Amino acid sequence: MSEPTRYSTPPIELPLGLEREPDPAEGCAGCAELAAVRSRARIVGDWSTISDCNVFMRRHPEEH
């Protein structure tokens, strides 16, 4: 069994995601709805829904 660490370890640094949010595809009702949901979520600070909408929008163009 190993000895426990008896001193503070430095924090783990995670990369800061600075990716641009995807734009809705022009003329696509699905993309427009995702953009609207994302806007409403931003107003109330629902970062999980914003992230979900971004993921769906990034994957959605594969189906156009």
Side-chain angles (χ1 to χ4, degrees):
M1 193 156 158
S2 64
E3 284 292 314
T5 303
R6 299 191 187 284
Y7 54 89
S8 298
T9 58
I12 297 172
E13 292 188 33
L14 300 175
L16 180 62
L18 296 176
E19 294 179 15
R20 205 180 117 219
E21 286 188 337
D23 295 324
E26 193 172 324
C28 175
C31 286
E33 179 61 24
L34 285 169
V37 169
R38 182 176 64 186
S39 281
R40 290 190 300 271
R42 184 171 285 114
I43 291 169
V44 297
D46 185 353
W47 301 108
S48 178
T49 298
I50 293 169
S51 177
D52 291 345
C53 288
N54 288 338
V55 168
F56 290 137
M57 287 177 75
R58 280 190 190 99
R59 291 181 181 169
H60 185 73
E62 296 172 6
E63 299 174 8
H64 279 259

